[in-house]
């Protein structure tokens, strides 16, 4: 007897290639191991079984120590404005040329199998396969970092990861060791403000900004250097979830961001970002009221405006997750001539770490030969051999200088990479610059630049996180730091934690510098009033009004949204006109957190039935609680009433299609006071 399923295979009738071992021997039977008799035992001789199982046993490679959970896509960068007076790098000077690239987004703290929506920084790593070699711009969705010196990175990461004795919490900053480290590391306070903002709970990876963080240098043909900061700006605007929504999404769809990116790209809605640069000279930098080499500081756009120079489009999902997304190896040290590093001590440490980590993760100094990592321009040198060498170099010369082989690669003094001839002076030592001492001014700048809604979210996030910290002294010390940033913020958090007295502020290492508020730091100010790239869910049941559903779906689609039908059964519902409309999601498995706005179209009986269904009540309660627009027909309205909700200006009659579509383009932050108590 053959194995189950075999007959079904045969019926499929396609002309499949032959199944072989890794040595090319064709298999006659992929269902059964080789047995000494019909009921066993299995023979050790079965090389086919052993090869298959051995390979399987070795399928996993070490996951990234940070940024393990990620999703990636192929695309291209197109330069729209040349930087030829600043740099020789062709990727930044050849207008209109499309440079292929691969971009990987990630969370930082969780393992590869963790969920997509924890409160966490998002990695934003771009590998550009330029004509002059690979350029990796390995950034985050936040323009600053927790620490100033790479030597603290292992401590930071050990503090944020699962606590070593208990193995939890996974993918969460809300625990003692993280806040213990932070409370003793005042330089992290600016980043903490960003981490506690809604930037760390994005709606979609297509709606985040990206930042290279560090200052880099551009170097022109004359050898002159200009500092540069890189920014990616999403075409769809910034959009975040609210915290309760992010928490529920973690259960409803652990792959929410990956699925969103996959669905957008495979349906032809290619996500797009603008590349912007902030350019400044050393002399300008000397006049900034902060040190630009300190990665806990940003350069406000009001001080150095952003110049848009190109765009990135992601238009192709990888063919294979492991071969591409998992094996891609980003290194900030992958640079091309015309771009150079700055002395930022965090960047300098990273230049070592990434190459080193690839050796341990991918296991070979030849990781650059993997298809996803290999440059798309010619590359050749005298490095040889090593684990898993894929190249077969010809000839007897594997050294330089040499005279024996005319085609042996040689250096090129003109076109080759030149490090900028910066002058360095001073005493060596394990030191930190005095100019890095101010830890609170930019934290304050960030907080005070936010809208009142965003400030309330930050205060509430701090209360949430610190409420998960068992050690009272840690909670107190954090509130003490907050007093340097903003007394009102400190009061709100102290109150939210139930403190009777506000703790003392720890001593500050530098006086506060006053800075002009920077609205560019908000999310709300950068949200776009649009349904492009968003999703509208329509909840239906048997008897729902076919015309109303059609009208709403059509209008939402023509405004750029995807529309998904939700019904108690995935097979769909029989509508008022007798037609059967299949559902995209079953109600119990498709809560409203999946959508940016919802419509509820129900007959009286359909509504009566769903009023006794918790999933339907939560569908409407959550859409309302997550500040979304709702369209309701009479049946929808009775479900809304059964959920105990009171309508506001974000609740529309299903008939008022245009108003609903307009309303669905944003969130109703004013509603929040009616649905939750914020700090
Ligand atoms: Fe990373 N970081 N990092 N990091 N980082 C890694 O490299 C490291 C930092 C960032 O999608 C690792 O390939 C040190 C800042 C991204 O594959 C590792 C320091 C920024 C990714 C590493 C930092 C980042 C990584 C782990 C302090 C924003 C994911 C796996 C000096 C500018 C890339 C790997 C991907 C990954 C080290 C700080 C961004 C261990 C030592 C600041 C987006 O090499």
């Amino acid at each position: 007897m053959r194995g189950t399923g075999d007959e079904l295979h045969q019926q499929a009738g396609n002309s499949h290639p032959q199944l072989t071992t890794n040595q090319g021997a064709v298999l006659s039977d992929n269902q059964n191991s080789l047995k000494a008799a019909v009921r066993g035992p299995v023979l050790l001789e079965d090389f086919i079984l052993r090869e298959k199982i051995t390979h399987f046993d070795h399928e996993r490679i070490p996951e990234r120590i940070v940024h393990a959970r990620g999703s990636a896509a192929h695309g291209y960068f197109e330069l729209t404005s040349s930087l030829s007076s600043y740099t020789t790098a062709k990727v930044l000077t050849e207008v209109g040329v499309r440079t292929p690239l691969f971009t990987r987004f990630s969370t930082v703290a969780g393992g590869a199998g963790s969920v997509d929506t924890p409160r966490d920084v998002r990695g934003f790593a771009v590998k550009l396969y330029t004509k002059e070699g690979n350029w990796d711009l390995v950034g985050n969705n936040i323009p600053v970092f927790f620490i100033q010196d790479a030597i603290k990175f292992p401590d930071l990461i050990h503090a944020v990861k699962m606590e070593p004795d208990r193995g939890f919490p996974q993918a969460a900053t809300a625990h003692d060791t993280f806040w213990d480290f932070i409370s003793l590391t005042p330089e992290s306070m600016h980043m903490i403000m960003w981490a506690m903002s809604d930037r760390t709970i994005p709606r979609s990876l297509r709606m985040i900004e990206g930042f290279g963080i560090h200052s880099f240098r551009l170097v022109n043909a004359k050898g002159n250097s200009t500092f540069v900061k890189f920014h990616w700006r999403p075409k769809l605007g910034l959009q975040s979830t609210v915290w309760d929504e992010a928490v529920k999404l973690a259960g409803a769809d652990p792959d929410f961001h990956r699925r969103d990116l996959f669905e957008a790209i495979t349906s032809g809605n290619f996500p797009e970002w603008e590349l912007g640069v902030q350019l400044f000279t050393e002399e300008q930098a000397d006049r900034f009221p902060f040190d630009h080499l300190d990665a806990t500081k940003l350069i406000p756009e009001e001080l150095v405006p952003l110049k848009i120079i190109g765009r990135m489009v992601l238009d192709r999902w990888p063919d294979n997750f492991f071969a591409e997304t998992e094996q891609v190896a980003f290194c900030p040290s992958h640079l091309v001539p015309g771009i150079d590093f700055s002395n930022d001590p965090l960047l300098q440490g990273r230049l070592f770490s990434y190459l080193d980590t690839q050796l341990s993760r991918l296991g070979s100094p030849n990781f650059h030969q993997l298809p996803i990592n290999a440059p798309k321009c010619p590359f050749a040198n005298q490095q040889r051999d090593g684990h898993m060498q894929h190249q077969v170099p010809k000839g007897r010369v594997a050294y330089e200088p040499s005279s024996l082989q005319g085609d042996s690669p040689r250096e090129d003094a003109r076109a080759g990479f030149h490090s900028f001839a910066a002058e360095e002076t001073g005493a060596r030592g394990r030191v930190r610059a005095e100019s890095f001492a101010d830890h609170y001014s930019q934290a304050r700048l960030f907080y005070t630049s936010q809208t009142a809604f965003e400030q309330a979210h930050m205060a509430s996030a701090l209360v949430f996180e610190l409420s998960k910290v068992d050690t009272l002294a840690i909670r107190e010390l954090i509130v003490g730091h907050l007093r340097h940033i903003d007394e009102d913020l400190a009061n709100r958090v102290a109150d939210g934690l139930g403190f009777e007295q506000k703790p003392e502020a720890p001593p500050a290492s530098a006086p506060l510098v006053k800075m002009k508020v920077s609205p560019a730091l908000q999310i709300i100010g950068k949200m776009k009033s649009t349904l492009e790239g968003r999703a509208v869910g329509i909840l239906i049941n048997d008897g729902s009004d076919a015309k109303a559903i059609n009208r709403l779906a059509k209008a939402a689609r023509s405004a750029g949204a995807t529309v998904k039908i939700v019904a108690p059964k995935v097979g769909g519902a029989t509508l008022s006109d007798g037609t059967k409309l299949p559902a995209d999601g079953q109600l119990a498995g498709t809560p409203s957190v999946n959508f940016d706005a919802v419509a509820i179209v129900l007959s009286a009986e359909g509504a009566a039935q769903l009023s006794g269904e918790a999933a339907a009540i939560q569908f409407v309660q959550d859409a309302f609680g997550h500040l979304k627009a709702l369209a309701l027909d009479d049946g929808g309205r009775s479900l809304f009433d059964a959920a105990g909700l009171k309508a506001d200006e974000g609740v529309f009659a299903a008939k008022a299609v245009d108003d609903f579509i307009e309303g669905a383009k944003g969130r109703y932050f004013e509603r929040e006071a009616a649905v939750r108590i914020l700090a």
Side-chain angles (χ1 to χ4, degrees):
M1 207 188 93
R2 312 249 316 161
T4 50
D6 191 55
E7 297 76 5
L8 295 176
H9 276 259
Q10 305 305 328
Q11 278 164 19
N14 295 328
S15 58
H16 297 289
Q18 287 173 318
L19 184 70
T20 73
T21 65
N22 288 333
Q23 303 305 318
V26 176
L27 267 64
S28 64
D29 181 343
N30 191 33
Q31 320 305 322
N32 301 295
S33 46
L34 182 68
K35 302 186 185 80
V38 69
R39 296 174 61 229
V42 173
L43 296 176
L44 186 59
E45 179 191 320
D46 190 350
F47 66 96
I48 293 175
L49 171 73
R50 278 188 288 115
E51 183 198 76
K52 186 174 177 181
I53 299 278
T54 304
H55 195 278
F56 170 76
D57 291 345
H58 295 264
E59 273 178 9
R60 288 292 166 271
I61 60 172
E63 67 175 34
R64 292 165 174 82
I65 168 69
V66 282
H67 297 267
R69 168 94 190 159
S71 305
H74 293 273
Y76 59 86
F77 171 69
E78 186 177 85
L79 191 72
T80 50
S81 172
S82 172
L83 291 181
S84 56
S85 50
Y86 301 99
T87 177
T88 56
K90 288 197 170 126
V91 62
L92 298 178
T93 55
E94 294 184 341
V95 171
V97 170
R98 289 188 173 183
T99 302
L101 55 76
F102 189 69
T103 297
R104 183 175 181 271
F105 304 102
S106 46
T107 55
V108 178
S114 59
V115 300
D116 274 349
T117 56
R119 176 177 295 283
D120 199 356
V121 179
R122 297 302 185 284
F124 194 124
V126 185
K127 184 181 284 296
L128 296 112
Y129 306 93
T130 88
K131 290 178 189 166
E132 299 172 299
N134 288 352
W135 172 33
D136 292 359
L137 189 51
V138 195
N140 280 343
N141 75 327
I142 287 177
V144 290
F145 201 65
F146 291 100
I147 48 171
Q148 297 174 323
D149 192 311
I151 201 165
K152 296 312 297 169
F153 193 64
D155 299 292
L156 167 73
I157 298 306
H158 288 170
V160 71
K161 285 261 177 190
M162 299 180 293
E163 298 192 11
D165 56 347
R166 58 208 68 185
F168 61 84
Q170 170 74 276
T173 45
H175 59 118
D176 283 56
T177 57
F178 176 71
W179 286 100
D180 184 26
F181 177 82
I182 294 298
S183 70
L184 301 170
T185 310
E187 71 206 51
S188 66
M189 280 302 138
H190 184 199
M191 177 74 168
I192 284 294
M193 291 296 105
W194 285 80
M196 294 299 111
S197 81
D198 295 346
R199 296 254 177 183
T200 46
I201 44 172
R203 150 69 177 88
S204 162
L205 298 170
R206 299 172 294 138
M207 299 169 200
I208 60 174
E209 292 185 327
F211 302 92
I213 302 193
H214 317 282
S215 297
F216 290 85
R217 288 178 187 276
L218 296 180
V219 184
N220 68 14
K222 290 192 190 129
N224 297 330
S225 142
T226 308
F227 285 117
V228 59
K229 295 246 188 202
F230 295 102
H231 299 239
W232 296 105
R233 285 284 157 88
K235 197 176 154 204
L236 294 173
L238 285 181
Q239 176 78 55
S240 289
T241 56
V242 294
W243 174 238
D244 182 68
E245 187 183 4
V247 168
K248 288 174 173 158
L249 269 168
D253 187 358
D255 308 300
F256 185 66
H257 285 152
R258 185 176 292 174
R259 189 187 311 279
D260 169 89
L261 191 65
F262 173 82
E263 287 182 353
I265 293 173
T266 51
S267 65
N269 292 316
F270 303 138
E272 194 171 324
W273 284 260
E274 286 177 333
L275 179 64
V277 289
Q278 286 178 298
L279 298 165
F280 56 100
T281 60
E282 185 117 44
E283 295 69 43
Q284 271 174 295
D286 289 343
R287 293 195 298 272
F288 295 158
F290 51 83
D291 194 330
H292 75 106
L293 297 180
D294 168 0
T296 69
K297 306 296 189 298
L298 54 80
I299 304 180
E301 283 173 48
E302 290 76 6
L303 195 59
V304 179
L306 203 62
K307 180 180 159 66
I308 301 298
I309 58 159
R311 66 186 189 118
M312 165 170 72
V313 178
L314 299 182
D315 61 358
R316 187 162 61 86
W317 189 259
D319 290 320
N320 185 273
F321 186 87
F322 180 83
E324 300 176 270
T325 307
E326 198 55 24
Q327 292 199 117
V328 65
F330 293 97
C331 297
S333 51
H334 294 168
L335 273 197
V336 293
I339 310 178
D340 203 351
F341 312 115
S342 71
N343 282 355
D344 176 341
L346 200 67
L347 173 61
Q348 298 273 320
R350 294 180 72 203
L351 300 180
F352 164 73
S353 177
Y354 290 68
L355 182 57
D356 183 50
T357 210
Q358 309 314 345
L359 294 177
S360 106
R361 216 166 61 75
L362 298 167
S364 159
N366 294 316
F367 70 86
H368 63 282
Q369 295 179 18
L370 293 171
I372 194 64
N373 293 325
K376 296 195 194 298
C377 63
F379 61 102
N381 54 43
Q382 282 87 18
Q383 294 168 27
R384 288 290 184 275
D385 308 344
H387 213 198
M388 296 297 154
Q389 175 60 256
H390 279 61
Q391 292 177 336
V392 186
K394 295 206 170 83
R396 62 201 287 209
V397 167
Y399 55 90
E400 199 272 343
S402 66
S403 62
L404 298 180
Q405 203 175 309
D407 64 356
S408 179
R410 290 283 192 275
E411 66 199 17
D412 180 339
R414 198 187 49 80
F417 185 91
H418 288 276
S419 292
F420 176 67
E423 290 202 10
E424 311 291 356
T425 50
R428 75 175 190 158
R430 292 191 182 276
V431 287
R432 204 165 292 195
E434 239 347 274
S435 52
F436 283 31
D438 173 10
H439 304 318
Y440 300 111
S441 301
Q442 289 212 352
R444 180 198 196 93
L445 168 73
F446 182 77
Y447 181 72
T448 53
S449 298
Q450 305 300 310
T451 63
F453 300 118
E454 291 167 294
Q455 289 182 339
H457 287 184
M458 290 170 67
S460 300
L462 281 157
V463 171
F464 173 91
E465 296 267 321
L466 295 173
S467 298
K468 297 260 181 192
V469 170
D470 293 334
T471 313
L472 178 62
I474 297 176
R475 283 184 238 150
E476 287 176 340
L477 188 47
I478 294 290
V479 175
H481 288 297
L482 298 180
R483 295 189 64 175
H484 286 298
I485 297 170
D486 187 86
E487 279 293 352
D488 176 53
L489 174 64
N491 287 339
R492 292 159 86 162
V493 177
D495 184 52
L497 292 171
F499 285 168
E500 310 231 310
Q501 267 183 337
K502 221 171 12 164
E504 285 294 309
S509 49
L512 272 179
V513 178
K514 262 210 155 154
M515 298 184 79
K516 261 214 209 118
V517 293
S518 170
L521 303 179
Q522 295 170 8
I523 299 176
I524 287 186
K526 284 181 168 169
M527 281 169 58
K528 282 204 175 144
S529 175
T530 179
L531 265 183
E532 298 261 344
R534 271 67 173 177
V536 174
I538 307 183
L539 176 61
I540 64 165
N541 200 351
D542 285 338
S544 289
D545 182 347
K547 279 196 185 132
I549 297 169
N550 266 336
R551 269 198 308 269
L552 285 160
K554 210 171 139 201
R557 283 196 189 104
S558 57
T562 50
V563 174
K564 295 214 168 147
I565 301 293
V566 181
K569 293 180 187 166
V570 74
T574 306
L575 306 183
S576 56
D577 61 359
T579 57
K580 181 111 180 175
L581 182 60
D584 300 296
Q586 187 229 356
L587 174 58
T590 318
S592 61
V593 287
N594 285 283
F595 309 114
D596 296 278
V598 302
I600 302 175
V601 181
L602 297 171
S603 66
E605 304 79 66
Q609 190 195 25
L610 290 189
S611 296
E613 165 58 65
I617 296 288
Q618 281 156 16
F619 189 94
V620 58
Q621 276 176 342
D622 277 347
F624 191 79
H626 300 150
L627 318 179
K628 295 169 183 173
L630 292 94
L632 309 171
D633 70 351
D634 289 348
R637 184 63 194 234
S638 49
L639 183 68
F640 184 84
D641 292 341
L645 300 170
K646 276 208 191 75
D648 61 13
E649 70 278 10
V651 180
F652 301 88
K655 271 184 282 184
V657 177
D658 293 345
D659 294 345
F660 168 64
I661 295 299
E662 225 18 67
K665 293 179 180 173
R667 297 250 180 146
Y668 290 85
F669 291 101
E670 301 78 10
R671 185 189 291 159
E672 194 144 41
V675 293
R676 69 178 58 88
I677 300 163
L678 291 171

